[in-house]
Amino acid sequence: MAEMKTMKPKKRFSVGYALLQKKQRSFIQCSLLNSAKARGIDLVRIDTDTPLVNQGPFDCVIHKLTSEDWKQQLTDYLVRNPSSVVIDSPDAITRLHNRISMLEVVSQIEDFICGDSETEAASVGIPKQIVIHQQDNLKEDLTCWTGGLKYPVIAKPLVADGSVKSHKMLLIFSKEGLEKLKPPTVLQEFVNHGGVIFKVYVVGEYVKCVRRKSLADISEERLRLGSLQGSVSFCQVSNMKSSVKNCDSYYKSLEDAEMPPMGLIRNVACGLRKAMKLHLFNFDVIRDTRVGNRYLVVDINYFPGYAKMPGYESVLTDFLWDVLTNEEARSFSNQKDKKEAAKVVDSVGGLVDEKGALPVLAVGMEEQDLLRV
């Protein structure tokens, strides 16, 4: 009687996640856990009160932490587990905590933005902005500062660390409105954009662009008549009450908004991903109504609220699967000694190819949703 061949058990992967409680509640949904589990991926919570080297081992670590202690923990962990992948570098993430350095990267990606027939007529930039570091500077009017700003302007805290304070913003119409500000503050020109903002989610090579309501346009007549004075505070429009979002008019105005050229969005996403060396982020884009084919990047966030993105479970699962099963990436790590492995996380946040980006391949996605970058 022939011996029955023993089936080799299918390898399961362990992905550790280190996230603050609020992010855990929104991101780690049962639907995501089940989607990953079905592909042989177990998502495991990392206890941030216990040294990382005493946990796992994990095939991959995803996180949204940037403290010096956490950086050292990642470095120590990679020395002991050189084949593990870390997404992404704390230093690369920290760049997005400053609203000036956050947008400076846009000027570095011009070579990625144009080059095909779909994008040659369009351009991408950032709004004019300046930083106010001292309270005394607020006693002067905009006309006294460099940068070419004029009212209205949006006042944002310089620090963008995801805290409640970092989301407190004001729309300033006159000099009187500057009195409420507490430096360091970024003053950014307000650009009429049809009341619609385009949120672009990036997960490795996957890109999804969606429409969201934004601040309404301000007419030149109202500004000229001086009927708008002082300042008005506003919350993130994306967090407006659900009752407002359920109105038919809300969705009708969004549906009427023309989407940006997908080629342009693809190129910007590709440029940002390579320049920032990040794989999980989103960026906000508006269309300058003064110049119809001019687009402005106004914000970039690391590890955004993916749960708001339709089908995020399959997108994140596919991304993790590609990272975990990419033999080229994993063999790269095995060839490095412990000293070199310790440097990886501090410089680019995981395993990198010669172009400075984690080699991942997007698979199993609908063509209309997948924009290869």
Side-chain angles (χ1 to χ4, degrees), residues 247-319:
C247 294
D248 292 339
S249 59
Y250 172 86
Y251 289 103
K252 187 177 187 305
S253 60
L254 282 181
E255 292 171 358
D256 291 341
E258 180 184 356
M259 294 290 285
M262 286 295 97
L264 181 73
I265 295 299
R266 177 183 65 243
N267 291 345
V268 173
C270 174
L272 290 177
R273 179 169 60 85
K274 291 183 177 181
M276 298 189 302
K277 297 181 175 65
L278 294 174
H279 305 88
L280 302 173
F281 63 94
N282 81 341
F283 58 97
D284 294 343
V285 178
I286 61 174
R287 179 189 293 111
D288 187 345
T289 56
R290 298 169 301 184
V291 186
N293 59 355
R294 174 70 170 168
Y295 296 88
L296 302 174
V297 178
V298 296
D299 199 17
I300 307 174
N301 298 288
Y302 183 71
F303 214 131
Y306 283 119
K308 299 177 182 178
M309 182 179 73
Y312 91 102
E313 301 92 343
S314 61
V315 173
L316 267 296
T317 299
D318 287 339
F319 169 71

Side-chain angles (χ1 to χ4, degrees), residues 165-215:
K165 181 180 179 181
S166 70
H167 290 308
K168 291 185 177 180
M169 306 179 193
L170 293 172
L171 187 58
I172 310 290
F173 298 105
S174 64
K175 184 176 182 300
E176 291 72 23
L178 300 176
E179 299 174 357
K180 295 182 179 181
L181 302 182
K182 296 181 180 180
T185 300
V186 174
L187 295 183
Q188 186 182 88
E189 70 170 330
F190 175 81
V191 177
N192 281 339
H193 52 282
V196 175
I197 194 167
F198 302 98
K199 286 191 171 290
V200 183
Y201 294 92
V202 180
V203 183
E205 294 186 326
Y206 177 88
V207 179
K208 180 73 173 181
C209 181
V210 298
R211 306 177 184 91
R212 292 285 186 270
K213 288 293 289 183
S214 181
L215 296 177

Side-chain angles (χ1 to χ4, degrees), residues 23-264:
K23 175 61 68 174
Q24 285 187 42
R25 288 194 296 269
S26 64
F27 180 72
I28 305 297
Q29 303 286 333
C30 289
S31 54
L32 175 62
L33 295 173
N34 292 335
S35 175
K37 186 176 181 179
R39 294 286 291 277
I41 302 172
D42 298 316
L43 292 172
V44 181
R45 185 180 71 85
I46 292 174
D47 183 358
T48 53
D49 293 327
T50 301
L52 183 59
V53 293
N54 295 336
Q55 303 180 65
F58 305 108
D59 297 289
C60 176
V61 173
I62 59 175
H63 70 102
K64 193 180 181 180
L65 306 177
T66 57
S67 70
E68 291 301 319
D69 175 69
W70 176 249
K71 291 180 187 179
Q72 188 59 50
Q73 287 199 51
L74 285 175
T75 300
D76 295 342
Y77 178 80
L78 283 184
V79 170
R80 185 172 296 186
N81 303 277
S83 64
S84 184
V85 181
V86 173
I87 303 172
D88 278 303
S89 163
D91 287 337
I93 298 171
T94 300
R95 178 178 188 170
L96 299 185
H97 289 177
N98 180 297
R99 284 198 163 92
I100 296 299
S101 62
M102 170 200 297
L103 296 185
E104 285 177 344
V105 69
V106 177
S107 63
Q108 303 172 16
I109 64 173
E110 293 180 358
D111 293 341
F112 295 95
I113 294 176
C114 55
D116 55 61
S117 58
E118 186 181 11
T119 63
E120 61 184 9
S123 62
V124 173
I126 63 174
K128 297 176 183 177
Q129 56 183 11
I130 60 173
V131 184
I132 303 300
H133 290 285
Q134 303 295 330
Q135 192 75 34
D136 289 344
N137 293 340
L138 295 174
K139 297 179 181 178
E140 302 176 353
D141 201 7
L142 282 183
T143 55
C144 301
W145 301 330
T146 58
L149 287 179
K150 63 178 182 179
Y151 298 112
V153 294
I154 299 175
K156 306 178 178 182
L158 177 62
V159 177
D161 58 3
S163 64
V164 174
K165 181 180 179 181
S166 70
H167 290 308
K168 291 185 177 180
M169 306 179 193
L170 293 172
L171 187 58
I172 310 290
F173 298 105
S174 64
K175 184 176 182 300
E176 291 72 23
L178 300 176
E179 299 174 357
K180 295 182 179 181
L181 302 182
K182 296 181 180 180
T185 300
V186 174
L187 295 183
Q188 186 182 88
E189 70 170 330
F190 175 81
V191 177
N192 281 339
H193 52 282
V196 175
I197 194 167
F198 302 98
K199 286 191 171 290
V200 183
Y201 294 92
V202 180
V203 183
E205 294 186 326
Y206 177 88
V207 179
K208 180 73 173 181
C209 181
V210 298
R211 306 177 184 91
R212 292 285 186 270
K213 288 293 289 183
S214 181
L215 296 177
D217 288 351
I218 301 174
S219 69
E220 291 291 338
E221 181 179 5
R222 295 190 68 186
L223 293 174
R224 186 172 59 253
L225 295 175
S227 59
L228 298 173
Q229 295 292 319
S231 64
V232 175
S233 65
F234 61 93
C235 300
Q236 293 172 290
V237 177
S238 59
N239 291 332
M240 67 175 62
K241 293 181 179 179
S242 58
S243 59
V244 176
K245 289 188 175 182
N246 289 333
C247 294
D248 292 339
S249 59
Y250 172 86
Y251 289 103
K252 187 177 187 305
S253 60
L254 282 181
E255 292 171 358
D256 291 341
E258 180 184 356
M259 294 290 285
M262 286 295 97
L264 181 73

